[in-house]
Amino acid sequence: MYQEIAWQASLLGVALIAAVFLYVGLRAGNPADFGPIKRRLYAVRTYWFAFLVALGAWLSVETLADLPYSTTHGEAARPAEITTEVTGHQWYWEMDRTAFPAGTEVAFEVTSADVNHGFAIYNDDDRVVAQTQAMPDYTNVLRHTFREPGTYRVLCLEYCGLAHHKMTQEITVTAPDR
Amino acid sequence: MSQPDPYQPDPGIGRSERGVVLAYMATSGAVLLLMMVLGLIMRLDQGELLGMAPDWFYRVLTLHGTGMVGIAGLAGAGIMWYFLRQYVGLSLAVAWANLALFLAGVILIITGIALGGYAGAWTFLYPLPANPMGMWDTGGAASFLVGLLIIGVGFLLLHLDCARAIIARYGSLGRALGWPQLFGRNDGKAPDAAVVASTMVLIVNTLGLVSGAAIVVMSLINLYFPAFQVDPLLAKNLIYFFGHVFINATIYMAVIAVYHLLPRYTGRPWPSSNKAFLGAWTASTVMVIIVYPHHLLMDFVQPQWMLVMGQIISYTSGLPVLAVTAYGAIVNLHRAPIRWDLASALLVLSAFGWAAGIIPAMVDATIVVNQVMHNTLWVPGHFHFYLLLGTIAMALGFMAWMVRTYGGARESGLDQLSFWVYAVGGVGFVGMFLIGGREGTPRRFAEHLSGWIPYDRWASLFAALVIAATAVFVVRFFAGLRRAALTEA
Ligand code: HEM
Ligand SMILES: [Cu+2]
Ligand SMILES: [Cu+2]
């Protein structure tokens, strides 16, 4: 979902800027006095600036409310229903369990035995649904609730050497328990 | 309205000064073209149009990343030096020393990759260099790291020389940033944009390079004495702080060409002694330093306030570009009697490339988005946007202007065509990275799933277009280089 939003928002922003540059670039052959143009455009800038600040503030409020970090810092309101350990190795994933019920919250305690890896869960449409870094000496706790039953796959999203792209692990998500 | 004449030589620049700048740009141009070909090879390989063994894919990736970051820095430094030299007494010897160290570093880096097999990427993320699982030998990793260190020392010398010369003329770095005018009464006498920008860059890059050198040295020790270990989270912070600052500094140096040359083409001044301009640069100085945690958003153990700051400062970092630099370029250009040529077109393109390139960057710095886009092709999508269409367009535009102004290069029928090929090819090329990111394609993957391959192939086509256009620019630069270097302006 966020992939699509990110793409649409970026496309819109880039297209808008491109349109302004093309418009101004192509009209540059039709010169006019700089004085009035400068005054007018710098007046507009105040509104443009205010608009950007408002947009940024709104986006921050909307997106900073629900962050994925609290469990790692021991601040989660309640424990997850399932907790499981994940360790990255060059080049395989060691996982306590690889089958989970849909609709149940899982806390993946992710670490690494050697270098940095990236623990990323892909659904069967090859989209990332969640990720965290697998770091030596540290444990990142990733909480995730699988929505749909199906076959998921872990890929490594931090470059870790020769077989980085082969470091996969299947996860099976079954129909909800109850 | 009279047509401006943008091809006036700068009186403050003699033949020897011009020589070192042209040497920087020539080195950058030649390496740029080679590295672009390596980039195309990677895209072709991912698109299964070329069969490369994964170890070689990762070596090529390492060389391309390191080489491109290096020449972006070198080209930016060349531009900065050219304009800053007109205000302060920079040392020629230091400028040449930086280039010599750069070339020495390049040799060590190539040796480390080609002979030592090193493929730990330009970010050498600790403790990967010491854990190659047989893919490279310790000497290869060491050669690469020492090469980086030497290049870093060269840049550090250059920035320290800038600091010395700037302080000699303006008294302090605060004055050079225009603080008296920013925080007090604006008497309109703030230093030139080149001075302001160079001061900002020297502050951030000195910090960045020192942090980078620290982690390079620790990694080197760790290579030979595995018992000496570094906290992996600290290492990550140091590396991304260095990497973020250094690559961003390239565009803050290169943009000086836009501030200085665009007004010569439009015949309109671009005043820098105003509070908006000075405020933007002072704010950027701080923001470039504190924004780097947006590279660590998926490191949940990092203190949370830093990660939240990473998102918020990423948003505010866009303001100086969108409301001052790109906006200023638009104001300068709007209905101006501009003289279009290759240089002016590339400089305008670069303002677009920078402004547009920060949009996908800010999107990805949003933590909830980062959780599904981090380390996908979205990331190279955003940084190729502002590097290829921003920094490099600035450098190529400056180079075209140099050989036209000093080398008597003439307009050619190819200019317009190659400009549009570069622009369209560039947007198409980065667009394919961004689509790859949307589709979940991981970055730094030697092999792609079949669903991702069509985009790899389109990207190869666009990359070939970019390379063809760049080849025209670079060949034209070299054709005019001799005359530009030797002429008595
Ligand atoms: C025709 C032009 C170019 C092509 C075809 C190209 C291609 C590529 C490719 C295929 C990758 C690897 C993407 C992946 O992770 O799968 C890459 C990475 C990269 N490129 Fe480029 N590139 C081009 C221009 C540039 C320029 C102009 C710069 C900078 C000035 C640059 C800097 C980098 C960097 C820093 C990386 C990251 C390396 C890493 O992940 O370690 N590239 N490029
Ligand atoms: Cu891995
Ligand atoms: Cu990996």
Side-chain angles (χ1 to χ4, degrees):
Chain A
M1 174 190 80
Y2 278 116
Q3 285 94 332
E4 209 48 50
I5 297 176
W7 166 252
Q8 304 278 351
S10 301
L11 202 61
L12 184 70
V14 170
L16 205 75
I17 296 175
V20 170
F21 270 88
L22 278 174
Y23 174 78
V24 171
L26 296 177
R27 287 231 315 178
N30 170 22
D33 241 7
F34 192 28
I37 288 182
K38 197 166 65 176
R39 241 170 289 123
R40 191 156 39 95
L41 289 185
Y42 278 127
V44 172
R45 173 160 76 177
T46 313
Y47 296 103
W48 171 234
F49 187 80
F51 165 75
L52 289 174
V53 171
L55 182 68
W58 174 69
L59 283 174
S60 303
V61 171
E62 288 291 316
T63 59
L64 283 170
D66 188 22
L67 298 181
Y69 306 133
S70 55
T71 315
T72 301
H73 294 271
E75 296 162 4
R78 54 191 167 71
E81 288 154 89
I82 300 175
T83 297
T84 181
E85 279 176 32
V86 178
T87 308
H89 297 260
Q90 285 168 310
W91 292 282
Y92 60 93
W93 294 104
E94 179 191 343
M95 292 181 66
D96 275 0
R97 60 184 278 184
T98 55
F100 304 94
T104 304
E105 197 175 34
V106 184
F108 295 94
E109 300 182 340
V110 182
T111 186
S112 165
D114 36 52
V115 301
N116 287 277
H117 302 274
F119 177 76
I121 305 173
Y122 278 69
N123 65 15
D124 44 15
D125 296 330
D126 296 328
R127 294 294 172 103
V128 184
V129 296
Q131 68 169 306
T132 189
Q133 290 267 307
M135 291 187 69
D137 297 357
Y138 286 92
T139 301
N140 292 319
V141 185
L142 175 67
R143 275 169 94 120
H144 184 67
T145 307
F146 292 98
R147 296 234 170 86
E148 306 280 336
T151 307
Y152 289 68
R153 171 161 51 167
V154 178
L155 295 186
C156 180
L157 280 190
E158 186 63 62
Y159 176 58
C160 55
L162 182 61
H164 159 60
H165 58 285
K166 292 235 164 81
M167 198 171 146
T168 59
Q169 168 68 54
E170 226 175 70
I171 291 181
T172 316
V173 175
T174 51
D177 267 348
R178 53 209 89 108
Chain B
M1 233 164 291
S2 66
Q3 276 276 335
D5 177 10
Y7 312 117
Q8 291 299 319
D10 283 295
I13 293 287
R15 213 164 72 177
S16 19
E17 283 81 17
R18 210 183 320 135
V20 74
V21 171
L22 287 169
Y24 274 47
M25 304 318 287
T27 310
S28 304
V31 178
L32 171 72
L33 209 49
L34 284 175
M35 292 302 129
M36 281 186 167
V37 173
L38 293 185
L40 172 61
I41 290 175
M42 283 191 282
R43 270 332 228 149
L44 287 170
D45 184 54
Q46 290 172 332
E48 294 188 349
L49 296 168
L50 209 71
M52 220 188 335
D55 51 347
W56 278 101
F57 176 90
Y58 291 122
R59 282 178 198 126
V60 169
L61 176 77
T62 302
L63 186 56
H64 172 86
T66 317
M68 283 296 198
V69 172
I71 61 111
L74 195 66
I79 292 172
M80 172 181 79
W81 204 91
Y82 179 86
F83 291 105
L84 182 62
R85 179 66 187 82
Q86 297 169 39
Y87 300 91
V88 305
L90 294 174
S91 151
L92 263 177
V94 169
W96 281 112
N98 180 33
L99 184 60
L101 289 170
F102 185 87
L103 294 173
V106 166
I107 292 172
L108 284 172
I109 285 169
I110 293 179
T111 308
I113 295 172
L115 301 181
Y118 176 74
W122 82 277
T123 44
F124 58 94
L125 190 58
Y126 177 89
L128 182 58
N131 289 273
M133 301 284 276
M135 190 177 169
W136 57 84
D137 50 52
T138 306
S143 180
F144 178 89
L145 289 172
V146 173
L148 277 191
L149 193 61
I150 290 179
I151 292 177
V153 169
F155 275 99
L156 195 57
L157 286 177
L158 187 79
H159 290 305
L160 291 177
D161 185 54
C162 293
R164 175 199 56 74
I166 286 172
I167 290 172
R169 158 108 197 246
Y170 297 96
S172 74
L173 296 181
R175 284 178 177 278
L177 284 171
W179 282 356
Q181 288 77 11
L182 175 60
F183 298 117
R185 198 181 60 82
N186 183 8
D187 56 6
K189 289 189 189 136
D192 180 82
V195 177
V196 175
S198 307
T199 307
M200 176 271 198
V201 170
L202 84 85
I203 293 170
V204 301
N205 240 6
T206 302
L207 295 173
L209 288 164
V210 169
S211 315
I215 182 63
V216 167
V217 170
M218 290 193 274
S219 299
L220 273 168
I221 301 176
N222 171 260
L223 274 182
Y224 290 98
F225 304 98
F228 173 85
Q229 295 196 344
V230 187
D231 181 321
L233 187 60
L234 172 69
K236 235 181 201 175
N237 275 272
L238 288 170
I239 287 173
Y240 288 133
F241 176 68
F242 150 72
H244 173 88
V245 165
F246 189 83
I247 196 63
N248 273 263
T250 67
I251 203 161
Y252 288 103
M253 294 189 278
V255 74
I256 299 172
V258 181
Y259 290 146
H260 265 269
L261 296 184
L262 194 58
R264 300 189 197 181
Y265 280 94
T266 57
R268 295 170 168 183
W270 189 337
S272 58
S273 189
N274 59 67
K275 291 194 189 241
F277 185 92
L278 298 170
W281 277 87
T282 291
S284 294
T285 310
V286 178
M287 290 190 297
V288 168
I289 294 172
I290 62 175
V291 78
Y292 84 93
H294 67 196
H295 293 276
L296 295 147
L297 298 178
M298 290 302 107
D299 291 281
F300 294 5
V301 283
Q302 180 86 356
Q304 289 186 74
W305 64 268
M306 289 181 87
L307 300 175
V308 171
M309 177 179 77
Q311 172 173 334
I312 293 174
I313 302 298
S314 298
Y315 287 178
T316 56
S317 294
L319 292 173
V321 182
L322 290 173
V324 176
T325 296
Y327 199 91
I330 288 290
V331 174
N332 200 270
L333 189 61
H334 186 50
R335 302 199 62 182
I338 188 168
R339 217 157 134 167
W340 287 115
D341 69 357
L342 183 56
S344 54
L346 282 167
L347 292 172
V348 171
L349 175 69
S350 77
F352 159 74
W354 193 5
I358 59 173
I359 308 267
M362 293 196 288
V363 167
D364 189 39
T366 309
I367 293 165
V368 289
V369 173
N370 195 265
Q371 212 183 2
V372 294
M373 314 276 289
H374 180 65
N375 278 351
T376 66
L377 282 185
W378 189 268
V379 180
H382 110 70
F383 68 71
H384 280 87
F385 211 135
Y386 81 84
L387 289 170
L388 185 65
L389 296 169
T391 307
I392 297 300
M394 291 167 190
L396 292 168
F398 174 71
M399 286 155 72
W401 177 84
M402 284 295 277
V403 288
R404 179 130 192 208
T405 300
Y406 295 102
R410 299 194 177 283
E411 243 157 284
S412 117
L414 264 182
D415 286 356
Q416 201 179 358
L417 177 67
S418 44
F419 168 77
W420 283 107
V421 168
Y422 186 87
V424 172
V427 170
F429 173 69
V430 298
M432 289 306 125
F433 269 147
L434 293 174
I435 292 181
R438 184 191 68 183
E439 299 297 312
T441 319
R443 73 181 287 201
R444 295 170 165 167
F445 256 40
E447 286 165 19
H448 284 177
L449 297 177
S450 57
W452 299 328
I453 286 178
Y455 308 115
D456 301 339
R457 296 190 172 166
W458 279 107
S460 305
L461 178 70
F462 287 122
L465 293 178
V466 171
I467 294 174
T470 309
V472 173
F473 305 152
V474 172
V475 166
R476 277 172 60 69
F477 174 77
F478 275 97
L481 179 60
R482 218 182 114 78
R483 240 183 97 186
L486 296 180
T487 185
E488 301 285 349

